[in-house]
Amino acid sequence: MPRLPLFLILVLFSCTEKDGITVQQAKIMFDDFNYESSTDPVLENFGWTVRTGRGGPGESGTTWLEENIDFIDDQVIPDNKLLRLTSTTNGEGRNTYQAEIYHTQTYLEGTYAARIHFFDSPSEGIDGDEVNQTFFAISPLEYPLDSNYSELDFAEYLPNGGWGSGEPTFWMTSWETYQESPYIQDSKTDEIDESFEGWHTVSATVGNGEINYYVDGILRATHGGEYYPEQDMSITFNLWFIAGRLLDDTSTRSYQELVDWVYFSEDLEVDHTQIENKVAELRQNNIIRKDDFK
């Protein structure tokens, strides 16, 4: 039997047969965040980078710490782990420590989803700092007002308000571009002024020239036009304090964000139940992580 070309072998392995018709399976990335720590070599091998060093966003002088990313036992689901982001401050930038983790720059059109626990109160200390709990996809800004810059903020949850709001606010933003100095921002935002304390499935579909933002399967915003992304992006979670909006208090306080799982598919799976079912199927098959894009 003649040897099949490599490209044909790959196609055959990515297809299944349904009702006598061969259907190509969409590539996915799924992670259940079953890691030992932020220094677990499996974390990096799977494509995650834990941010360290200085830089924005946030208060001037802020540091991003590796140890602010960890993985804890789920108190509800046995043998399940959760990604935990923790950020702390005492009101000064030099004593502010933030958390960020991001995946490879691979993702563009398809369905993005994550199950996230947002918090309205700090895990330690007094409340009131304007803090941002996030889930987004982003590409590097190569130069000021780079027209190929791409960023989709699926969730920016501000439990203490910010950016003109004094109440808990959930932001969804699509970016065309920006520059740092003088600051110029070209983006489109929709916001929901209410508390999102607790677990939520945040998702978005990117395709056919539109970005559709969902929370728990409910369509909350639709963007398009110049705000549609032009290049591959990294899936990212971070937790940071809005510059100039820290409480004038020197006591230490900590804020957290939890993530149960993250999922991406090249399919435009607008149905919330379908996403939840796919994640449940992966778990039932003991698949704790899968990346078809490698």
Side-chain angles (χ1 to χ4, degrees), residues 23 33 66 70 79 83 85 91 100 103 110 124 146 148 159 161 165 168-169 181 238 246 254 270:
V23 179
F33 293 118
E66 186 174 54
D70 66 346
D79 300 320
L83 163 64
L85 298 89
E100 178 172 301
H103 206 252
E124 174 191 1
D146 176 5
N148 287 323
S165 172
T169 307
S181 183
N238 68 16
L246 297 176
S254 300
V270 297

Side-chain angles (χ1 to χ4, degrees), residues 139-247:
S139 72
L141 183 77
E142 298 295 342
Y143 52 88
L145 299 180
D146 176 5
S147 61
N148 287 323
Y149 175 73
S150 300
E151 179 180 349
L152 304 176
D153 299 332
F154 312 124
E156 289 190 299
Y157 182 54
L158 283 56
N160 292 323
W163 301 329
S165 172
E167 302 297 328
T169 307
F170 189 104
W171 292 68
M172 298 150 289
T173 305
S174 306
W175 293 71
E176 167 59 7
T177 191
Y178 75 96
Q179 75 173 23
E180 285 287 352
S181 183
Y183 189 74
I184 298 174
Q185 175 178 331
D186 185 3
S187 63
K188 181 177 177 58
T189 294
D190 280 80
E191 61 184 273
I192 310 167
D193 296 327
E194 62 183 71
S195 172
F196 277 79
E197 168 93 32
W199 285 106
H200 297 278
T201 297
V202 177
S203 63
T205 60
V206 181
N208 303 317
E210 284 188 347
I211 311 110
N212 292 297
Y213 293 89
Y214 298 83
V215 182
D216 298 324
I218 301 172
L219 179 63
R220 294 292 196 161
T222 298
H223 301 163
E226 65 175 324
Y227 305 107
Y228 194 80
E230 288 93 354
Q231 62 174 309
D232 289 349
M233 299 171 287
S234 301
I235 290 175
T236 307
F237 300 92
N238 68 16
L239 177 59
W240 55 281
F241 297 96
I242 298 173
R245 306 301 297 177
L246 297 176
L247 291 177

Side-chain angles (χ1 to χ4, degrees), residues 55-116:
E59 198 73 37
S60 177
T62 289
T63 302
W64 303 83
L65 292 182
E66 186 174 54
E67 54 264 40
N68 283 10
I69 297 290
D70 66 346
F71 302 90
I72 63 172
D73 291 334
D74 189 338
Q75 299 302 307
V76 177
I77 303 175
D79 300 320
N80 187 44
K81 284 195 170 184
L82 307 172
L83 163 64
R84 178 171 64 181
L85 298 89
T86 304
S87 292
T88 66
T89 187
N90 73 349
E92 297 183 354
R94 63 192 175 119
N95 294 319
T96 297
Y97 304 98
Q98 301 182 153
E100 178 172 301
I101 184 170
Y102 58 92
H103 206 252
T104 52
Q105 188 180 341
T106 307
Y107 309 100
L108 185 56
E109 294 186 321
T111 299
Y112 299 77
R115 184 170 181 260
I116 305 170

